[in-house]
């Protein structure tokens, strides 16, 4: 029961940590109500076991949205079996959350808590919600952030596997309300569970629990007369839930009764010496039985851990037409220490692959830490060396086991094909069939003051980046020979022009054909990235060159109006496009060049009939607006950091925003679909 309680508590803690870790994203974008849907969806994608996410704002917080505004995002399986994320504004006359229990409790308690279970009409499921109040700079509550977990999923996780077929776990609230129970509830089992809950809520049982500490045991008898025991305990810490385990005597003592009967018969017809031998045998059998039970318990927990680890890997395919990304991880044991991850932000593919020293549960925990930190730091940083530096500092803290991680981080700019990367002692990836040149940086987790170096190269169209861990090159056959780097190069040479998933299949087949039936000795992790940019079919391309003088903005406005008229873009959208581009150009005029220095700004506008692409080029000081921190709108105009609101405005209007520093030039690309 302790292991089941730990599994359930870890599931709740992961949900709480996920919300706390993404709260900054909500606070950063709170000035833009529609961006709250993106914040909620990003949080759901970060935790595969969450069902829904909602943000209930204080009344009249967004005047333009009415008195009540509660954006809600939840996941469900689509008609084709593919997971979808649905968005709704659920507040209204029929859903006044200010009168609901969770909102009143959050604003009254002013602290985080888990709700009692309830039925959600939106997701058509019974759920429990983790609520957290959100404060402004004056410590006033401006919203209540909620994460929903499916009660059925929690019950299935608790009752995934039991030593005895009829045993089951259940969870109750502090007041004795059922949260999660057995997977398949029959009428008999339901009546029995109601009877057990009544017993638990009885003052005698509660007094026994109070006297014994956090746990107690009491007997039961089901309607058929079968006797059993209920092991019952309080959760440690918050939430103050209660967990129970039901076991039946006929299953627990079945083998023991059979053994006693056999021993009695043998003692009657045998000698005392034979009885002594049987007695010793019975003792050893009990030890073996106990060892088998412990082994099965550990195996069950490792299978759950393996499932959680696999869920942390990227689950969705990349939808960008310029990319094909496929990864695979086959652990040598139930859980492994390898990792890979990838995602797209601001027209850049962020990806990594790593190998934690050692194997087993400790390596799996370090793997989870590294992957989480990669996601967190890559969310607001484009330089792979700085991402690596931050991960290294975090992994060195309290690293008493001296574990380290070989790690490769890459950032591929999709419009240009420029790859910036940092290697921390990992095997060099291949570009097609050529190994990438890497600098010998130390692995992550060794010294927290080590400075990592960034490198870069150009990836040509239709090229493949192949990354792997040493479980590939060091795979051994029965003769203890390794697969080796040369075989990897030969297989890659035969994969020219293949899709990324086909490349991994070819290499996997080659490894299996080499090792045959030899036992896998190390985790095998691979990732293939095919860079397939499409030629831009341009129907309009015009360029304007202006000086870094605010008077030149008039020329820019006329230039943009001409382009927008030629493309017959809808007027309101055209005004937004002009505003966004003018904000970006004025930012360059004001800050790109030193005071008194005259410089040029080139503005290119191109269209393929569906998308308007604007490229702004200057030779001023380096400045990346895609990693710009959110402007603090609570400060006065004199104290507020210059430029922050303009950058946020550009990001809100445009579909994509991409920055690159090439040949001492700032290149800012803005795209917007208009057709």
């Amino acid at each position: 029961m302790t292991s089941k309680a730990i599994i359930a508590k870890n599931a709740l803690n992961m949900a709480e940590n996920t919300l706390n870790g993404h709260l900054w994203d909500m606070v950063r974008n709170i000035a833009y109500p529609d961006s709250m849907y993106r914040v909620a969806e990003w949080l759901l994608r970060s935790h595969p076991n969450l069902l829904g996410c909602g943000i209930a704002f204080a009344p009249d917080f967004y005047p333009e949205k009415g008195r009540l505004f509660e954006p809600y995002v939840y996941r469900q399986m689509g008609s084709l079996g593919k997971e979808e994320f649905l968005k709704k504004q659920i507040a209204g006359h029929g859903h006044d959350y200010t009168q609901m229990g969770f909102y009143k409790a959050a604003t009254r308690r002013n602290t985080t808590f888990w709700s009692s279970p309830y039925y959600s009409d939106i997701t058509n499921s019974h759920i429990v919600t983790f609520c957290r109040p959100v404060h402004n700079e004056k410590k006033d509550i401006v919203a209540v952030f909620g994460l929903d977990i499916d009660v059925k999923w929690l019950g299935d996780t608790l009752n995934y596997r039991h030593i005895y077929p009829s045993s089951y776990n259940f969870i109750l609230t502090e007041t004795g309300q059922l949260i999660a129970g057995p997977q398949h509830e029959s009428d008999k089992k339901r009546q029995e569970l109601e009877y057990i809950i009544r017993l638990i809520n009885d003052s005698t049982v509660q007094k026994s629990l109070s006297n014994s500490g956090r746990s107690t045991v009491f007997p039961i008898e089901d309607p058929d007369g079968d006797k059993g025991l209920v092991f019952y305990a309080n959760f440690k810490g918050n939430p103050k839930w209660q967990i129970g385990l039901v076991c039946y005597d006929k299953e627990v003592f079945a083998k023991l009764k059979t053994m006693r009967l056999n021993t009695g018969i043998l003692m009657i017809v045998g000698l005392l010496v034979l009885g002594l031998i049987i007695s010793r045998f019975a003792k050893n059998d009990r030890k073996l039985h106990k060892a088998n039970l412990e082994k099965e318990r550990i195996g069950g927990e490792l299978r759950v851990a393996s499932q959680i680890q696999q869920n942390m890997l990227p689950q969705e395919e990349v939808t960008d037409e310029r990319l094909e990304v496929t990864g695979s991880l086959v652990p040598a044991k139930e859980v492994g220490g390898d990792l890979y991850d990838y995602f797209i932000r601001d027209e850049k593919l962020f990806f990594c692959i790593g190998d934690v020293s050692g194997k087993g549960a400790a390596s799996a925990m370090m793997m989870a830490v590294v992957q989480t930190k990669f996601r967190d730091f890559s969310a607001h940083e484009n330089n792979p060396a700085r991402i690596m530096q931050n991960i290294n500092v975090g992994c060195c803290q309290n690293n008493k086991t001296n574990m380290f991680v070989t790690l490769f981080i890459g950032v591929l700019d999709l419009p240009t094909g420029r790859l910036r990367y940092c290697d921390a002692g990992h095997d060099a990836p291949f570009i097609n069939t050529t190994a990438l040149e890497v600098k010998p940086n130390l692995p992550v987790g060794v010294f927290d003051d080590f400075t990592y170096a960034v490198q870069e190269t150009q990836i040509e169209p239709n090229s493949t980046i192949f990354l792997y861990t040493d479980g590939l090159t060091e795979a051994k056959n029965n003769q203890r020979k390794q697969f080796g780097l040369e075989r990897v190069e030969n297989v890659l040479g035969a994969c020219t022009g293949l899709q990324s998933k086909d490349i991994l299949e070819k290499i996997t087949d080659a490894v299996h054909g080499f090792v045959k039936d030899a036992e896998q000795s190390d985790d095998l992790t691979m990732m293939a990235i095919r860079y397939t940019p499409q030629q831009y079919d341009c129907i309009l391309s015009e360029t304007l060159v202006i000086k870094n003088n605010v008077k030149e903005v008039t020329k820019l406005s006329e230039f943009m109006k001409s382009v927008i008229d030629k493309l017959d873009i809808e007027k309101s959208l055209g005004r937004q496009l002009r505003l966004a581009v003018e904000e970006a150009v004025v930012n360059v005029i004001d800050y790109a060049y030193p005071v008194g220095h005259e410089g040029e700004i080139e503005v290119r506008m191109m269209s393929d009939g569906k998308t308007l692409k604007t490229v702004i080029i200057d030779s001023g000081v380096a400045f990346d607006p895609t990693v710009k921190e959110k402007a603090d709108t609570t400060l006065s105009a004199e104290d507020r950091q210059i430029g922050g609101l303009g950058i946020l405005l550009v990001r809100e209007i445009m579909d994509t925003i991409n920055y690159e520093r090439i040949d001492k030039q700032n290149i800012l690309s803005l795209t917007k679909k208009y057709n």
Side-chain angles (χ1 to χ4, degrees):
M1 185 176 74
T2 301
S3 63
K4 296 292 185 179
I6 292 174
I7 291 172
K9 196 69 167 65
N10 286 344
L12 302 179
N13 289 340
M14 288 180 67
E16 296 178 14
N17 293 337
T18 299
L19 190 153
N20 294 332
H22 288 76
L23 191 63
W24 65 269
D25 195 19
M26 172 202 168
V27 176
R28 184 183 69 172
N29 294 280
I30 200 169
Y32 306 95
D34 291 336
S35 67
M36 295 298 103
Y37 293 101
R38 178 187 59 78
V39 172
E41 180 179 343
W42 179 255
L43 194 148
L44 288 183
R45 292 181 184 274
S46 301
H47 196 310
N49 295 326
L50 294 179
L51 182 62
C53 177
I55 310 174
F57 286 90
D60 299 317
F61 186 79
Y62 295 115
E64 68 273 21
K65 294 294 184 180
R67 178 175 176 268
L68 302 179
F69 181 61
E70 185 178 5
Y72 186 79
V73 180
Y74 63 99
R75 67 174 83 229
Q76 72 172 24
M77 297 303 295
S79 58
L80 299 179
K82 185 176 181 181
E83 190 177 63
E84 298 176 345
F85 291 86
L86 303 182
K87 306 174 182 178
K88 285 186 178 182
Q89 204 293 89
I90 60 176
H93 295 295
H95 183 80
D96 186 351
Y97 53 79
T98 62
Q99 302 304 312
M100 295 182 177
F102 82 94
Y103 190 89
K104 291 181 176 180
T107 54
R108 183 180 68 255
R109 299 180 188 177
N110 197 18
T111 186
T112 59
F113 67 95
W114 283 90
S115 73
S116 297
Y118 62 96
Y119 183 78
S120 170
D121 292 327
I122 300 173
T123 60
N124 296 321
S125 59
H126 287 86
I127 61 176
V128 290
T129 301
F130 176 64
C131 301
R132 179 193 174 107
V134 181
H135 304 82
N136 60 13
E137 294 293 327
K138 297 180 179 179
K139 306 301 182 182
D140 296 324
I141 297 177
V142 299
V144 176
F145 210 138
L147 291 182
D148 299 335
I149 288 184
D150 191 349
V151 167
K152 180 181 181 302
W153 171 85
L154 192 57
D156 291 348
T157 301
L158 282 174
N159 292 285
Y160 170 72
R161 188 178 181 89
H162 284 285
I163 299 174
Y164 305 110
S166 300
S167 297
Y168 59 90
N169 286 94
F170 60 90
I171 293 181
L172 307 178
T173 65
E174 185 178 7
T175 59
Q177 183 180 358
L178 180 65
I179 297 176
Q183 294 171 302
H184 307 292
E185 258 184 81
S186 63
D187 290 336
K188 173 185 174 183
K189 187 95 55 177
R190 190 178 299 107
Q191 293 174 5
E192 178 184 290
L193 189 55
E194 291 174 355
Y195 167 70
I196 291 173
I197 293 175
R198 287 196 300 271
L199 285 179
I200 290 174
N201 292 329
D202 184 79
S203 59
T204 304
V205 174
Q206 291 298 320
K207 183 178 180 181
S208 174
L209 179 62
S210 176
N211 294 333
S212 60
R214 291 180 50 231
S215 63
T216 189
V217 181
F218 59 90
I220 60 167
E221 183 175 346
D222 70 8
D224 295 335
D226 292 330
K227 296 182 180 181
L229 292 174
V230 178
F231 299 85
Y232 175 67
N234 290 325
F235 270 42
K236 186 176 182 180
N238 289 316
K240 297 185 182 304
W241 290 354
Q242 307 165 81
I243 186 169
L245 170 64
V246 180
C247 296
Y248 293 94
D249 293 353
K250 65 180 181 180
E251 293 179 339
V252 175
F253 300 111
K255 291 186 178 180
L256 183 60
K257 290 180 179 179
T258 301
M259 187 169 54
R260 286 176 177 173
L261 178 61
N262 292 337
T263 303
I265 295 174
L266 290 174
M267 288 179 65
I268 294 174
V269 299
L271 301 173
L272 292 176
V273 175
L274 184 59
L276 178 61
I277 295 174
I278 294 174
S279 176
R280 290 176 179 244
F281 173 78
K283 183 178 181 180
N284 291 335
D285 188 64
R286 283 193 293 270
K287 290 182 178 179
L288 180 60
H289 179 66
K290 182 178 180 181
N292 288 336
L293 292 180
E294 181 67 13
K295 182 178 179 180
E296 188 172 353
R297 180 188 66 79
I298 295 174
E301 293 181 2
L302 287 175
R303 283 189 288 275
V304 174
S306 177
Q307 181 182 5
I308 294 174
Q309 186 178 38
Q310 289 294 326
N311 288 338
M312 292 186 66
L313 299 175
Q315 302 296 317
E316 298 182 354
E317 295 183 357
V318 172
T319 57
D320 196 295
E321 62 183 6
R322 295 166 292 189
L323 282 175
E324 299 171 9
V325 184
T326 305
S328 69
L329 190 158
V330 181
K333 298 183 181 298
E334 287 83 354
V335 291
D338 280 7
L339 67 113
Y340 73 88
D341 201 357
Y342 56 82
F343 67 93
I344 294 177
R345 174 177 67 79
D346 294 330
E347 293 205 286
K348 290 179 174 61
L349 174 69
F350 294 79
F351 61 94
C352 72
I353 190 168
D355 185 358
V356 182
S357 61
K359 297 178 181 65
S363 296
M365 292 179 64
M366 177 64 84
M367 165 263 182
V369 170
V370 172
Q371 188 164 359
T372 301
K373 290 183 180 296
F374 169 75
R375 282 273 179 167
D376 289 344
F377 295 129
S378 299
H380 51 78
E381 176 58 66
N382 292 341
N383 188 321
R386 286 199 286 267
I387 297 173
M388 189 78 76
Q389 187 75 44
N390 289 328
I391 294 175
N392 178 56
V393 171
C395 290
C396 287
Q397 293 176 350
N398 299 320
N399 187 9
K400 298 180 180 179
T401 59
N402 296 320
M403 300 185 71
F404 62 87
V405 186
T406 65
L407 185 64
F408 181 94
I409 297 177
V411 179
L412 176 62
D413 185 67
L414 300 183
T416 65
R418 186 170 73 134
L419 172 65
R420 289 187 292 170
Y421 60 93
C422 180
D423 184 86
H426 198 78
D427 294 297
F430 282 90
I431 307 298
N432 296 323
T433 58
T434 304
L436 185 65
E437 180 182 352
V438 296
K439 294 182 180 179
N441 294 307
L442 285 178
V444 166
V446 180
F447 297 116
D448 59 3
D449 58 349
F450 183 80
T451 301
Y452 289 89
V454 66
Q455 295 175 262
E456 67 176 69
T457 188
Q458 186 66 31
I459 305 299
E460 300 299 327
N462 299 315
S463 295
T464 299
I465 306 172
F466 177 72
L467 305 99
Y468 62 96
T469 60
D470 57 11
L472 172 62
T473 54
E474 297 178 6
K476 298 175 183 178
N477 59 16
N478 288 323
Q479 288 74 42
R480 307 302 294 171
K481 292 183 178 180
Q482 295 185 349
F483 188 70
L485 194 60
E486 184 177 351
R487 288 187 177 86
V488 177
E489 294 174 349
N490 292 337
V491 177
L492 289 176
C495 294
T496 304
L498 294 183
Q499 294 183 340
S500 58
K501 63 178 181 179
D502 296 329
I503 293 174
L504 292 195
E505 288 179 1
K506 287 280 187 182
I507 296 179
T508 301
D509 291 343
V511 173
H512 289 167
F514 175 77
V515 302
K516 292 184 170 51
D517 58 349
E519 183 180 0
Q520 182 180 344
S521 60
D522 198 2
D523 303 335
L524 176 59
T525 304
M526 300 179 291
M527 183 164 58
I529 302 170
R530 284 276 295 166
Y531 180 54
T532 57
Q534 305 296 317
Q535 185 175 0
Y536 193 79
D537 188 11
C538 192
I539 65 169
L540 180 144
S541 178
E542 297 192 8
T543 302
L544 173 68
V545 179
I546 62 176
K547 302 294 183 181
N548 59 326
N549 190 323
V550 72
K551 295 180 180 179
E552 299 278 270
V553 176
T554 302
K555 295 180 183 179
L556 174 64
S557 181
E558 294 174 353
F559 169 70
M560 288 194 61
K561 186 177 185 304
S562 172
V563 172
I564 290 171
D565 289 342
K566 290 178 182 179
L567 297 175
D568 195 25
I569 297 176
E570 190 265 328
K571 289 184 178 180
S572 63
L573 178 58
R575 286 193 296 270
Q576 292 182 23
L577 290 171
R578 289 171 61 188
L579 177 60
V581 175
E582 286 178 8
E583 282 286 350
V585 172
V586 169
N587 190 60
V588 175
I589 291 174
D590 289 342
Y591 307 112
Y593 297 98
V595 177
H597 180 82
E598 184 178 278
E600 292 186 342
I601 304 169
E602 181 179 340
V603 182
R604 301 176 188 169
M605 303 193 76
M606 299 164 283
S607 173
D608 61 355
K610 298 179 180 179
T611 303
L612 180 62
K613 182 175 182 179
T614 304
V615 182
I616 303 169
I617 304 173
D618 68 84
S619 301
V621 297
F623 175 71
D624 184 357
T626 65
V627 297
K628 180 72 176 176
E629 292 292 337
K630 176 185 177 296
D632 190 349
T633 56
T634 63
L635 299 176
S636 64
E638 294 80 6
D639 297 333
R640 189 181 306 150
Q641 185 178 359
I642 298 175
L645 291 176
I647 292 170
L648 287 176
L649 176 64
V650 174
R651 185 182 287 276
E652 288 293 324
I653 293 176
M654 292 298 180
D655 293 333
T656 65
I657 172 172
N658 181 50
Y659 169 82
E660 283 294 304
R661 177 77 174 179
I662 302 177
D663 296 332
K664 297 183 179 181
Q665 286 187 319
N666 296 307
I667 302 176
L668 181 64
S669 301
L670 313 172
T671 61
K672 181 71 175 181
K673 286 186 178 181
Y674 64 88
N675 241 342

